[in-house]
Amino acid sequence: MRFAGLLKQSLTDYPGKIAAVLFSRGCNLRCPFCHNAHLLVKLGRTAMDSEIETSQLISFLKERRGFLDAVVFSGGEPTINPELPQVIRQIKEIGYLVKLDTNGSNSLMLDQLLQQELLDYVAMDIKAPLEYEKYLQASGRLTFEDFFNIRSSINLLQTASITVEFRTTVVPVWHQTEDIIQIARYIEGARLYSLQQFNPRTTLDPELSGVKPYSKVELNEIAARCQPYIHKVRVCNV
Ligand code: SF4
């Protein structure tokens, strides 16, 4: 497996830990608000030149033992790579905590990773209320199978014994307060739900550059309305 980029040290991507962040290439969805558009295309179709091989990554992580606590797999969508479980296994063998950022559309792999105790933290995006048409709008491209798998992933994570965070990038054109509350009700009982501020500066769909994000006050009000259903709701920047 090759990665499109490596952030050697982050204090924010794995709460409370010092983590390296790996950016995988490619994604099955096309969320119009995606701010990592340069990672969506497959290898060989981009000018980006610094691909990182698994062997280079493992050497780097061995050197950094004692300085880093964790490795975060981000993207793009890491689970579209069939080699991902094998790479994570190698990283766990060195002794690192592993966090996966995912859109949840590969529930089969997520189940496998959970069963094999290869994950310590999963942050899963929930793009919209769990209705196909609404989810399609917010994710840009969505098969029925993806949609089914996303709901399966939520079910898996609701009973997982690791740290789980659900998160939604709140985009005013698709998300009214009631939509976010609907999501909160769907994941009722979840430990952590993060409402991420939409950033109009770098979006896959240029038309979104004219959309004004909710203010912090408005997002806090939406978060408060979700609070009855979730242990902790937080508002954060993407
Ligand atoms: S799931 Fe959406 S936001 Fe995440 S990388 Fe894919 S297109 Fe971008």
Side-chain angles (χ1 to χ4, degrees):
M1 184 170 175
R2 291 200 280 176
F3 298 92
L6 167 67
L7 178 60
K8 292 184 175 174
Q9 184 173 308
S10 165
L11 301 178
T12 55
D13 286 83
Y14 193 129
K17 305 291 178 194
I18 304 173
V21 184
L22 285 160
F23 297 94
S24 59
R25 189 181 296 289
C27 183
N28 51 329
L29 306 187
R30 286 292 181 274
C31 310
F33 57 84
C34 181
H35 61 277
N36 278 337
H38 61 289
L39 294 177
L40 299 187
V41 288
K42 290 223 169 72
L43 187 61
R45 293 171 61 190
T46 169
M48 201 163 174
D49 53 10
S50 57
E51 299 287 336
I52 297 153
E53 298 278 358
T54 303
S55 54
Q56 292 173 284
L57 169 69
I58 297 297
S59 304
F60 166 78
L61 291 173
K62 282 182 175 167
E63 278 170 26
R64 292 298 172 103
R65 263 188 296 212
F67 298 100
L68 291 171
D69 306 308
V71 177
V72 176
F73 286 84
S74 190
E77 173 52 41
T79 67
I80 64 169
N81 297 284
E83 310 91 352
L84 182 70
Q86 180 52 32
V87 176
I88 294 181
R89 195 169 293 111
Q90 290 181 65
I91 290 172
K92 293 295 286 178
E93 279 167 10
I94 313 173
Y96 283 98
L97 296 167
V98 171
K99 173 173 178 262
L100 174 66
D101 293 346
T102 181
N103 63 28
S105 61
N106 191 344
S107 54
L108 206 63
M109 185 184 286
L110 180 61
D111 193 19
Q112 179 193 350
L113 292 169
L114 289 170
Q115 285 198 34
Q116 295 178 13
E117 300 183 350
L118 292 175
L119 299 174
D120 301 281
Y121 191 132
V122 174
M124 179 180 160
D125 294 338
I126 301 183
K127 310 288 183 187
L130 278 296
E131 296 167 18
Y132 179 76
E133 288 302 328
K134 284 189 173 179
Y135 219 95
L136 173 62
Q137 266 194 331
S139 56
R141 186 167 79 182
L142 183 77
T143 64
F144 282 117
E145 191 183 355
D146 290 334
F147 186 57
F148 175 82
N149 290 340
I150 285 164
R151 290 187 298 179
S152 299
S153 290
I154 293 172
N155 289 342
L156 282 172
L157 292 174
Q158 286 287 58
T159 54
S161 54
I162 59 166
T163 305
V164 172
E165 173 183 2
F166 293 107
R167 53 192 194 183
T168 299
T169 301
V170 187
V171 188
V173 282
W174 301 303
H175 301 124
Q176 306 306 308
T177 302
E178 285 308 319
D179 295 311
I180 303 300
I181 294 171
Q182 202 177 324
I183 296 171
R185 283 204 194 102
Y186 193 94
I187 56 169
E188 184 164 7
R191 298 217 68 79
L192 177 60
Y193 183 32
S194 298
L195 302 183
Q196 296 180 322
Q197 181 65 280
F198 158 65
N199 180 352
R201 270 176 300 173
T202 49
T203 54
L204 180 61
D205 180 352
E207 287 198 9
L208 285 181
S209 62
V211 173
K212 185 169 175 265
Y214 286 120
S215 69
K216 189 94 188 249
V217 171
E218 287 169 319
L219 275 186
N220 281 330
E221 284 170 5
I222 297 172
R225 299 279 306 277
C226 297
Q227 199 64 66
Y229 309 103
I230 311 284
H231 288 271
K232 182 177 177 191
V233 186
R234 66 171 186 166
V235 170
C236 51
N237 293 322
V238 177

